[in-house]
Amino acid sequence: DQWWVEHYSDPVPSAEQLHALPIMDLDLKRLAELASLKLDYPTDVMTTPDGTVYCLNYVQGHRQLFRKRQDDSAGVQLTHVENGVIELEFAPDRRHALICTDSSGNGNSDLLLLDVETGKVTGLLVSPASHFDSAVWRPDGAAFAFRAQQDGTFVYDICVYDLKTRSYEKIY
């Protein structure tokens, strides 16, 4: 980001500007297509093997998830989370993603499950008095580890959430 600020003042890069970036191993054609969405400030850009590009972008002051497939003429906003997406972690199969957001607006965070195809969001760990974040998927996608603070002591536990049973256990 600092490199971009030093070299360009326009927050929406052109295809030519993207090709000038000192980036290795990125599909610049897909990034140029992403730039064509005219997003204000795309962050957390990720591509998939099929050429789909995902990114977070600010909408009315909150980050939301966008997707642009190769066959899309325009990208699609996948999330409409009231207080925005704080963190995002895609499942290994890219069909689901974990969204960390402040659902209650009180500074704590929840973990939601997004079906990437349908856009359906399901609350997995939602509590206005708790803080859940830093989710990391297990390689098989059946579970994920996360950080939890539930007792107000500012001590975090490491837990594992099983998607099949919809339950979690503290492991550390």
Side-chain angles (χ1 to χ4, degrees):
D1 288 341
Q2 184 60 36
W3 188 93
W4 184 263
V5 169
E6 291 171 4
H7 291 82
Y8 299 102
S9 60
D10 185 1
V12 180
S14 67
E16 294 79 27
Q17 290 169 326
L18 283 172
H19 285 285
L21 286 173
I23 302 174
M24 303 290 291
D25 301 319
L26 288 180
D27 182 349
L28 293 179
K29 179 177 182 263
R30 297 298 298 147
L31 288 175
E33 289 179 11
L34 182 64
S36 72
L37 292 175
K38 305 292 186 207
L39 301 175
D40 294 330
Y41 188 71
T43 65
D44 301 270
V45 177
M46 186 203 70
T47 60
T48 60
D50 70 356
T52 302
V53 177
Y54 294 92
C55 75
L56 295 175
N57 186 62
Y58 287 91
V59 176
Q60 298 178 340
H62 299 288
R63 292 190 328 164
Q64 302 293 342
L65 177 63
F66 286 78
R67 174 185 67 209
K68 178 145 178 48
R69 291 184 173 146
Q70 289 204 23
D71 59 351
D72 287 343
S73 59
V76 175
Q77 182 176 339
L78 293 177
T79 61
H80 300 271
V81 181
E82 183 177 353
N83 293 313
V85 175
I86 298 169
E87 297 173 355
L88 177 72
E89 181 71 21
F90 279 92
D93 66 5
R94 302 290 190 253
R95 290 180 24 220
H96 293 92
L98 292 168
I99 298 170
C100 177
T101 185
D102 179 5
S103 299
S104 61
N106 68 359
N108 287 323
S109 58
D110 306 313
L111 287 174
L112 314 175
L113 182 68
L114 169 71
D115 182 311
V116 175
E117 191 58 38
T118 66
K120 179 181 178 189
V121 176
T122 305
L124 298 180
L125 296 163
V126 179
S127 171
S130 298
H131 189 86
F132 305 106
D133 65 8
S134 304
V136 179
W137 286 94
R138 200 167 71 186
D140 66 5
F144 61 89
F146 65 96
R147 208 171 64 142
Q149 177 201 19
Q150 300 180 76
D151 56 11
T153 63
F154 299 103
V155 174
Y156 285 88
D157 298 320
I158 303 299
C159 303
V160 173
Y161 188 97
D162 183 295
L163 286 170
K164 187 175 182 178
T165 64
R166 297 279 199 228
S167 64
Y168 69 92
E169 66 176 317
K170 176 182 167 184
I171 60 169
Y172 182 76

